[in-house]
Amino acid sequence: MAEYVKKLALDFNAKQSAQTVCAKQLDDKSRFLLAEPQIDGEKFDVRNCSAKLYAKRNDDTVLIVGGTVTDDGDILFELTSLLKKPEILKCDVKLIYESTTLSSCLFYIKVIQTIMLSNKMRVCRNTAYSDIIVLKDGDEYYQLANEEKLIFTVKNDSDIILQKELTNSDYIENENGCLLSLSSSETDIDVGTYYYNVVLLRIDNEREPIITKTEFIVEEG
């Protein structure tokens, strides 16, 4: 099973505001957070400690996730159980030595929901087509960052027959989404049923599925 790992430096003596990391809601793969423990920007050794992550939800319930201290002295947490709905989790990592809490560090996890308004697509052969791809972050519409991309791919079995990249320049303000526009030459595809998917390519090159394998139907114009 694929594992997606986010990395975070946790400074247990930091004076700046708590950091925020993002994670996608209901990921069908495991998602992990690898935290490097620091004191004033310098890594310190926690290999004789255990660690727990306390995550407070919007409804004030608290979930507890045990951490694994790696051979390199980092702390690995599996986040999958925390990503049930879009919300901001207030998290507290506690370092424990012989049943005593030595130190703790706050940060936030922003759980992102991704939604596309239309799924199955029908296009007429050799005819221009357009649709809006809408992403939501909780109750708010999500706009791509400058270097993020949406990758729209149509396949015939394993062969790619059409691919488009959308950026924040394709964002339509009054539609709250990115415009997917296919020209008549791009839809000049043999009549039949194909499949498409949409992937969000983030700044760190992490790929997040937005729409998995879904029908792309080409009809006679």
Side-chain angles (χ1 to χ4, degrees), residues 118-214:
S118 56
N119 286 329
K120 182 184 293 186
M121 288 187 177
R122 291 181 180 272
V123 304
C124 291
R125 183 183 182 188
N126 202 30
T127 303
Y129 173 89
S130 63
D131 201 354
I132 298 292
I133 299 178
V134 177
L135 286 78
K136 296 193 76 176
D137 178 1
D139 294 328
E140 302 295 326
Y141 292 103
Y142 181 78
Q143 186 170 352
L144 297 177
N146 284 336
E147 297 180 28
E148 290 183 326
K149 295 178 181 179
L150 284 178
I151 302 176
F152 170 84
T153 304
V154 178
K155 290 185 177 183
N156 180 6
D157 295 325
S158 60
D159 298 325
I160 296 175
I161 60 174
L162 174 62
Q163 191 166 72
K164 301 273 287 192
E165 291 187 357
L166 306 180
T167 67
N168 65 353
S169 64
D170 297 298
Y171 190 79
I172 308 298
E173 192 73 33
N174 61 354
E175 296 285 353
N176 299 308
C178 290
L179 176 64
L180 171 67
S181 182
L182 305 179
S183 66
S184 57
S185 61
E186 288 172 319
T187 62
D188 190 11
I189 303 169
D190 290 342
V191 171
T193 299
Y194 304 87
Y195 295 92
Y196 80 93
N197 63 65
V198 179
V199 171
L200 172 62
L201 181 63
R202 293 198 175 274
I203 296 172
D204 59 3
N205 287 321
E206 182 177 346
R207 292 174 178 262
E208 296 191 6
I210 304 304
I211 294 295
T212 55
K213 184 178 179 180
T214 304

Side-chain angles (χ1 to χ4, degrees), residues 11 36-44:
D11 197 322
E36 179 183 288
Q38 297 182 354
I39 293 289
D40 295 328
E42 297 292 332
K43 185 172 182 178
F44 74 102

Side-chain angles (χ1 to χ4, degrees), residues 62-96:
V62 176
L63 302 177
I64 303 174
V65 176
T68 300
V69 178
T70 70
D71 291 340
D72 294 328
D74 297 320
I75 310 169
L76 186 67
F77 296 102
E78 183 174 352
L79 303 182
T80 309
S81 63
L82 304 181
L83 311 180
K84 299 302 183 183
K85 60 181 180 179
E87 60 183 336
I88 296 178
L89 302 169
K90 184 177 182 179
C91 298
D92 185 8
V93 172
K94 296 185 182 297
L95 294 178
I96 302 166

